[in-house]
């Protein structure tokens, strides 16, 4: 069954940490660092559908965490000043326990995820 995802994104590289991006881009070793960073950011995914939230990690091997929107208790958004200027943030999603079931860093438009989760619960 194909889900109609309302939000589907990978962590933002440049907007998440522009100073590190520029520093790595300038240096020769930075090209390799940028490649590793790009692969790592493409290996993470957060998707929100009408009924669930899905987080995937990994390129070759996958770790998937799936959470029904009806069981979401809290969505915590953490943003530094630079993250706020760039429109990215860290997202933690809690359901029943004291530890986040889903935690992902550097996601674009984190408040959209919070709004989608609040609208569906």
């Amino acid at each position: 069954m194909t889900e109609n995802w309302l939000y589907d994104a990978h962590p933002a590289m440049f907007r998440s940490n522009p100073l590190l991006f520029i520093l790595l881009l300038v240096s020769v070793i930075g090209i390799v660092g940028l490649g590793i960073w790009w692969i790592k950011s493409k290996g993470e995914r957060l998707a929100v559908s009408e009924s669930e939230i899905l987080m995937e990690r990994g390129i070759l091997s996958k770790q998937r965490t799936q959470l029904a929107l009806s069981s979401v208790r809290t969505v915590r958004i953490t943003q530094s000043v630079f993250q706020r200027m760039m429109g990215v943030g860290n997202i933690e999603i809690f359901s029943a326990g004291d530890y986040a079931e889903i935690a992902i860093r550097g996601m674009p438009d984190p408040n959209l995820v919070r709004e989608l989760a609040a609208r569906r619960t």
Side-chain angles (χ1 to χ4, degrees), residues 16 24 44-45 53 55 79 88 108 113:
S16 176
L24 290 175
E44 291 185 327
R45 173 182 174 224
I53 298 174
M55 184 191 65
Q79 292 177 299
V88 297
V113 174

Side-chain angles (χ1 to χ4, degrees), residues 25-82:
L25 188 61
V26 172
S27 69
V28 174
I29 298 173
I31 302 299
V32 174
L34 277 173
I36 292 169
W37 188 10
W38 182 81
I39 290 170
K40 185 178 176 187
S41 72
K42 291 301 173 189
E44 291 185 327
R45 173 182 174 224
L46 181 67
V48 180
S49 74
E50 295 181 5
S51 61
E52 64 188 19
I53 298 174
L54 172 70
M55 184 191 65
E56 289 183 341
R57 280 201 169 108
I59 296 289
L60 299 175
S61 62
K62 291 280 187 183
Q63 173 192 354
R64 289 184 178 92
T65 303
Q66 201 167 351
L67 188 62
L69 278 175
S70 60
S71 66
V72 172
R73 183 177 48 117
T74 305
V75 177
R76 179 186 299 160
I77 307 295
T78 308
Q79 292 177 299
S80 68
V81 172
F82 292 115

